[in-house]
Amino acid sequence: MKIGNIELKSNLLFAPIAGFSDAGFRAICSSFGAGLTCTELVSAKGLCYKNESTRDLLNKVEGESPVAVQLFGSDPEFMYKAAKDERLKPFDIIDINMGCPVKKVFNNGDGSALMKSPELIKEVVKAVKEGGQKPVTVKIRAGIEMGKPLAVECALAAEEGGADAVTVHARYREQFYSGEADHTITRDVKSALSIPVIANGDITDYKSLEMVSEITGADGFMIGRGALGNPMIFSELRGNTVNVLKKPLIYQHIEILRKFYRDETVCNAMKLHLCYYAKNTRVAKAVRKEATSAKTLDDIFRVVEEYFV
């Protein structure tokens, strides 16, 4: 699969997820065959104002490629300036978030609120394309209100603005992350566009991947929650049998994070990840209890040694 001039090593992509799409987990997903990974949400205004916490989201493992940086914002001028920022140079693609349902983001006119105005979508995409001088992708939802799809109109506006691919999270903003994804909407987007379309939502195993592929005819498939604690899914979805011990994987994850962050920050990041690494195992409850109360990285190491093999 190709996005602009960037050749992906597979058509399975790892979704940007707040609190989880750190450089360590992205690198691990990439090693198991994710064709593209993406940073967490990065504020365009935060970049322009040199916000320190924004800078921390832009870490990238040497050799990690291809990887996209996901920007959010709705002001074309700020988006243009952010896309030009030198700190985005290491990233292969700029992805524009037009799907975030969170109230704070939505009420500011960003994220999925952009779907109210296809004309503004076109302007924002054009600004990022001109500023970044690299492939631009857009991530949208089915629409805002249940039963009122906006995806086709918004995707066409993005394509007209110069987008190189569109990802459709086939849920409405009102659904947040609950209920079922309606992949017939992604199918309609695919029929309307000439650029690659990526399907997102409820892809958790080979059976669901086949079903979404059959419904949508999409060019690529984005895995989000199905990859948390299970980065091996990118290999498994390609038909490979994977037998990997979680403990060395977790230590690899921690080692990468320690290159960028203080141990206290790594500890807090790994609390969330450990709960997912243990999900659907007999130790899940114990890990959740121990990990969430961890105060130091040594506490995290003790949890790993006690409960993982």
Side-chain angles (χ1 to χ4, degrees), residues 112-278:
S112 53
L114 273 163
M115 296 189 72
K116 295 177 183 178
S117 176
E119 191 55 42
L120 182 56
I121 286 176
K122 180 181 169 182
E123 289 180 35
V124 166
V125 173
K126 187 178 179 184
V128 172
K129 188 88 172 183
E130 289 177 358
Q133 294 294 305
K134 60 179 68 181
V136 172
T137 58
V138 170
K139 191 167 188 279
I140 61 174
R141 281 190 169 240
I144 297 171
E145 297 176 40
M146 286 289 292
K148 296 180 179 178
L150 299 170
V152 171
E153 186 181 2
C154 292
L156 284 168
E159 183 178 40
E160 197 175 340
D164 296 282
V166 171
T167 299
V168 183
H169 180 175
R171 284 183 173 85
Y172 292 89
R173 186 257 169 178
E174 284 185 348
Q175 288 178 278
F176 276 67
Y177 301 100
S178 63
E180 290 185 4
D182 181 359
H183 288 291
T184 62
I185 291 170
T186 310
R187 176 198 64 202
D188 294 342
V189 172
K190 172 61 184 168
S191 297
L193 267 58
S194 59
I195 56 176
V197 172
I198 299 151
N200 176 222
D202 298 339
I203 302 173
T204 56
D205 53 25
Y206 192 77
K207 184 179 178 182
S208 56
L209 173 65
E210 277 194 319
M211 181 192 73
V212 172
S213 177
E214 188 174 334
I215 293 171
T216 65
D219 303 282
F221 304 90
M222 185 171 277
I223 317 326
R225 287 172 293 172
L228 300 185
N230 182 34
M232 299 79 72
I233 192 172
F234 295 101
S235 185
E236 291 164 352
L237 290 178
R238 297 169 77 185
N240 301 318
T241 302
V242 181
N243 293 305
V244 176
L245 296 177
K246 291 284 182 77
K247 186 190 286 188
L249 208 59
I250 294 168
Y251 278 129
Q252 180 189 351
H253 191 164
I254 292 171
E255 184 183 350
I256 294 171
L257 292 185
R258 291 183 89 179
K259 293 176 182 177
F260 303 111
Y261 306 111
R262 292 179 297 116
D263 282 1
E264 180 185 356
T265 304
V266 176
C267 170
N268 289 330
M270 291 308 298
K271 286 181 182 184
L272 289 169
H273 281 290
L274 286 189
C275 294
Y276 276 95
Y277 278 122

